[in-house]
Amino acid sequence: TVKQMVAELDARGVCHKKCKKRDDFVELLMEVQAQGEIDLANEMGLTPKELEVKHIHEEVAFFRKNLFVLPKGEAGTAFIEEAIKLINAFNSNDDNISVALTQLMIMFPLLLQKPSPKSKAKDHLEALKRRLVLWQEEDFS
């Protein structure tokens, strides 16, 4: 968990308190790993992708629930296809088996979050299309 990672950084004397955003924290961990101070794969059993997905999950769990209804049509179908890919990755011997369900859990709040409190269905559709492209590129930020 993130608490274990923070404890590991504290034990090594690495300052993580300056990290204001998730990206800063992940970058710090990757930087520390690149310097050879922490080997995430061996010490915590995590790959960089697993680390990022787990951190996002812990952050997304506390999102305010303001999701929009999945639109019909091309964007809605693409969303469902992505969800099916993750379920199939979990059910197979895919390399992503360890993070497939976690990715599925963070997919809904990240991709279906309303762009603004007074957004319309057209705004939701545009936001979903844009976010799906980023999701497929594995850009979780």
Side-chain angles (χ1 to χ4, degrees):
T1 66
V2 172
K3 288 180 183 178
Q4 290 171 328
M5 290 177 256
V6 169
E8 181 71 27
L9 289 174
D10 283 341
R12 295 180 179 276
V14 177
C15 179
H16 60 84
K17 298 190 186 330
K18 62 183 176 186
C19 298
K20 300 270 190 251
K21 301 183 293 188
R22 172 187 56 82
D23 294 338
D24 295 339
F25 183 73
V26 172
E27 281 180 31
L28 175 65
L29 282 173
M30 295 307 128
E31 183 180 312
V32 169
Q33 180 181 3
Q35 295 170 355
E37 295 179 29
I38 292 180
D39 184 1
L40 296 175
N42 291 333
E43 292 191 26
M44 295 181 226
L46 297 174
T47 65
K49 182 178 180 178
E50 290 171 335
L51 171 68
E52 185 174 18
V53 168
K54 288 183 184 303
H55 186 69
I56 292 171
H57 178 262
E58 291 188 14
E59 189 175 309
V60 166
F62 299 103
F63 272 10
R64 201 179 96 230
K65 305 296 184 240
N66 64 342
L67 306 180
F68 57 82
V69 176
L70 185 64
K72 296 178 182 173
E74 190 177 315
T77 304
F79 181 88
I80 292 171
E81 287 172 359
E82 283 297 315
I84 290 170
K85 282 182 194 176
L86 292 172
I87 293 170
N88 288 338
F90 178 74
N91 288 329
S92 68
N93 288 330
D94 194 347
D95 292 339
N96 294 331
I97 192 169
S98 61
V99 293
L101 285 183
T102 309
Q103 280 183 294
L104 184 65
M105 288 188 288
I106 68 173
M107 183 179 172
F108 288 86
L110 287 179
L111 300 185
L112 299 179
Q113 190 82 11
K114 288 184 181 179
S116 67
K118 296 187 180 194
S119 58
K120 306 291 182 204
K122 181 180 177 184
D123 302 325
H124 300 165
L125 182 62
E126 291 171 5
L128 180 59
K129 286 180 181 178
R130 179 177 39 81
R131 292 171 183 166
L132 272 171
V133 169
L134 293 172
W135 181 269
Q136 290 166 344
E137 295 172 355
E138 292 191 355
D139 182 3
F140 300 119
S141 55

